Amino acid sequence: MHELSLCGAIADIVTRHAEGRPVQTIHLRIGQLRQIVPDTLVYCWSLFTADTALAGSRIDVEHVPARLACRACGDRRELDAAPVFACPSCAGTDLEVVTGEEFLITSLDLTGA
Ligand SMILES: [Zn+2]
């Protein structure tokens, strides 16, 4: 499962940064285009960390909507549901993804820190 392998990657990074300190909350920023279901990720995290030093830590997901910019006419808009491959304004196809591809750990809340 996609989310499960992500949990492994997150756990690696968090463990390295926590340096043995207990972790309360992991703040993530996830772009819409990543096609990650936050609820599934949170659920996988609780399973994945159950028997580890990260058991009981919580994932907090900040969802970033996808925004595209058209290089031809400068039109910028948020994607709602279906991906678009042409500019709705000028039908140009030279589109740039402005936001939506994020996958970042933005901060950690450490107990007693
Ligand atoms: Zn355009």
Side-chain angles (χ1 to χ4, degrees):
M1 192 191 294
H2 187 45
E3 278 81 1
L4 204 53
S5 61
L6 283 172
C7 285
I10 295 167
D12 280 352
I13 295 167
V14 169
T15 301
R16 212 176 309 140
H17 285 272
E19 296 173 329
R21 291 166 292 182
V23 178
Q24 274 183 328
T25 309
I26 299 122
H27 298 275
L28 296 173
R29 184 173 293 160
I30 300 177
Q32 185 183 336
L33 299 176
R34 289 290 181 155
Q35 302 194 314
I36 296 163
V37 182
D39 287 350
T40 308
L41 187 65
V42 167
Y43 177 67
C44 282
W45 181 254
S46 66
L47 294 182
F48 188 87
T49 58
D51 295 320
T52 74
L54 292 169
S57 64
R58 212 171 60 82
I59 275 189
D60 179 62
V61 177
E62 180 192 344
H63 188 252
V64 183
R67 287 193 195 86
L68 291 181
C70 173
R71 289 197 178 99
C73 74
D75 182 78
R76 279 177 174 245
R77 65 185 68 214
E78 245 173 58
L79 287 179
D80 343 301
V84 286
F85 300 103
C87 171
S89 171
C90 73
T93 52
D94 192 7
L95 301 174
E96 180 187 1
V97 176
V98 182
T99 62
E101 289 183 323
E102 294 83 355
F103 186 81
L104 300 170
I105 297 173
T106 51
S107 64
L108 297 176
D109 295 343
L110 302 170
T111 307

